[in-house]
């Protein structure tokens, strides 16, 4: 069964305008809402603006101004539990160690297909749902 979102907001961060444009199309086709950022500094501003509604973040690592790792470190201060997917064409062992240290459980090797992108998003959003506090209906009085 193909993944279909329910309007969850995904913050997508990449310095390439064409990559952001393609991501918007795919994310919207998957039934997700989209916020776009061109680098880590822009993404941090978006994260502040949408902190109550961001369901997941997809970020490149190699960007000008503020790279992906600096952005994720700052994001963890603001939204410690938000799932992050690192998408990069160059994830060496050191980068993978940095991802793990920052609590990143999902990576995508560029270029990636719509199918692998959807699968990563489905996994990240399922992880977020699993962490959500459970409401006990019998506790309501």
């Amino acid at each position: 069964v193909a993944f279909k979102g329910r309007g969850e907001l995904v913050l997508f961060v990449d310095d390439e305008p064409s990559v952001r444009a393609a991501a918007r199309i795919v994310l919207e086709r998957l039934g997700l809402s989209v916020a776009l950022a061109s680098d880590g500094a822009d993404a941090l501003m978006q994260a502040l603006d949408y902190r109550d509604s961001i369901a997941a973040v997809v970020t490149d690592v190699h960007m000008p101004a503020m790279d992906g790792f600096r952005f994720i470190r700052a994001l963890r201060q603001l939204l410690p539990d938000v799932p992050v997917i690192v998408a990069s064409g160059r994830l060496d062992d050191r980068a993978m160690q940095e991802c793990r240290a920052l609590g990143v459980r999902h990576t995508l090797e560029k270029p990636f297909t719509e199918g692998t992108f959807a699968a990563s998003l489905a996994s990240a959003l399922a992880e977020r749902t699993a962490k959500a506090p459970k409401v006990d209906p019998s506790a309501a009085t």
Side-chain angles (χ1 to χ4, degrees):
V1 175
F3 168 73
K4 190 69 174 165
R6 290 174 284 171
E8 298 95 328
L9 179 63
V10 174
L11 173 57
F12 188 90
V13 190
D14 197 290
D15 59 320
E16 294 290 332
S18 61
V19 173
R20 288 193 309 274
R24 176 189 294 279
I25 292 166
V26 171
L27 290 165
E28 289 175 349
R29 187 174 26 227
L30 292 172
L32 298 163
S33 298
V34 186
L36 299 173
S38 59
D39 62 34
D42 183 20
L44 205 48
M45 296 305 295
Q46 299 278 348
L48 284 166
D49 287 346
Y50 298 110
R51 70 177 150 259
D52 295 331
S53 52
I54 293 176
V57 173
V58 180
T59 185
D60 190 9
V61 174
H62 307 283
M63 298 179 289
M66 177 187 275
D67 72 20
F69 290 132
R70 286 181 50 215
F71 162 62
I72 295 167
R73 278 192 284 283
L75 180 70
R76 288 293 183 223
Q77 299 298 311
L78 181 66
L79 299 168
D81 297 324
V82 72
V84 175
I85 299 169
V86 167
S88 179
R90 300 184 310 261
L91 287 175
D92 58 18
D93 289 342
R94 198 176 118 264
M96 292 303 289
Q97 286 177 326
E98 182 76 12
C99 285
R100 284 190 292 278
L102 291 169
V104 174
R105 291 180 196 64
H106 309 277
T107 57
L108 275 172
E109 188 76 26
K110 285 181 178 176
F112 48 83
T113 66
E114 185 171 334
T116 57
F117 189 29
S120 272
L121 286 163
S123 180
L125 292 170
E127 169 188 312
R128 176 181 172 264
T129 303
K131 285 184 178 179
K134 303 288 186 259
V135 176
D136 181 358
S138 65
T141 52

